[in-house]
Amino acid sequence: MKKVRPLTGKQRHILDDYFRRTLAGETMEEIATSHGINRKTLSVWKNCKEGKALHDKFQKEMSSQEMPKFYRVLSEKMQAGSYKHMELYAKIHGLLVEKKEVLNKTEGEDRLNGGYSNEDLAELEALINGETPLKRVK
């Protein structure tokens, strides 16, 4: 089994640079070459457990910086009367109750869905009409 080594500080720095530069549209090949490494090496670092964790952390940092802009745009659209943006705001803040459909069943459907077979129903009908004598149980 292959031993997994933690990433060095230099490797983490290269990955951070890779994450930032890919947002600008650079390819993995270009970034790896600029750091003097092979594209495959960069790919291995990026896809290891620690590399994936660094990427998740990077994405969270990037999205947290965009949150004020998101809420500003959302507020502007709501004030302009956009129903979809009002609905999104309500969903984010738990103000929107989702619809739930309630089904009513007729008595016959309940009885059939409740486990009574056609034979059971025929036997009960025969008992009611007096066609079958009742059996005593001790």
Side-chain angles (χ1 to χ4, degrees):
M1 189 162 144
K2 193 174 185 181
K3 185 177 179 182
V4 178
R5 293 185 182 147
L7 295 175
T8 66
K10 183 177 179 181
Q11 291 169 332
R12 282 192 226 109
H13 173 73
I14 292 171
L15 279 176
D16 187 56
D17 185 51
Y18 163 71
F19 299 145
R20 294 183 192 289
R21 289 170 62 182
T22 53
L23 290 177
E26 290 188 59
T27 66
M28 184 181 274
E29 184 76 38
E30 294 168 337
I31 298 166
T33 302
S34 73
H35 286 286
I37 59 173
N38 188 324
R39 181 203 58 80
K40 188 173 181 179
T41 302
L42 182 57
S43 180
V44 168
W45 295 347
K46 178 184 79 109
N47 292 317
C48 75
K49 187 175 182 178
E50 189 177 353
K52 288 179 181 179
L54 287 171
H55 189 251
D56 288 345
K57 182 181 173 188
F58 174 77
Q59 286 181 317
K60 286 178 185 174
E61 287 173 5
M62 293 302 294
S63 65
S64 69
Q65 293 171 3
E66 297 295 322
M67 290 306 286
K69 181 180 178 182
F70 169 79
Y71 279 109
R72 182 179 47 77
V73 170
L74 181 61
S75 177
E76 290 170 3
K77 298 287 185 176
M78 283 182 359
Q79 290 173 9
S82 170
Y83 174 77
K84 288 188 175 190
H85 291 89
M86 289 180 202
E87 184 179 24
L88 176 60
Y89 181 86
K91 282 181 181 178
I92 289 170
H93 294 287
L95 303 172
L96 187 67
V97 178
E98 292 188 29
K99 296 180 194 175
K100 292 188 179 181
E101 189 174 335
V102 177
L103 300 175
N104 286 332
K105 295 180 181 179
T106 63
E107 189 176 320
E109 289 175 331
D110 285 343
R111 201 171 47 189
L112 287 174
N113 291 332
Y116 294 112
S117 67
N118 288 336
E119 293 84 25
D120 291 337
L121 293 174
E123 186 179 332
L124 286 171
E125 193 172 323
L127 284 170
I128 292 170
N129 294 333
E131 297 169 5
T132 306
L134 292 175
K135 296 178 185 174
R136 289 193 168 228
V137 179
K138 293 184 179 180

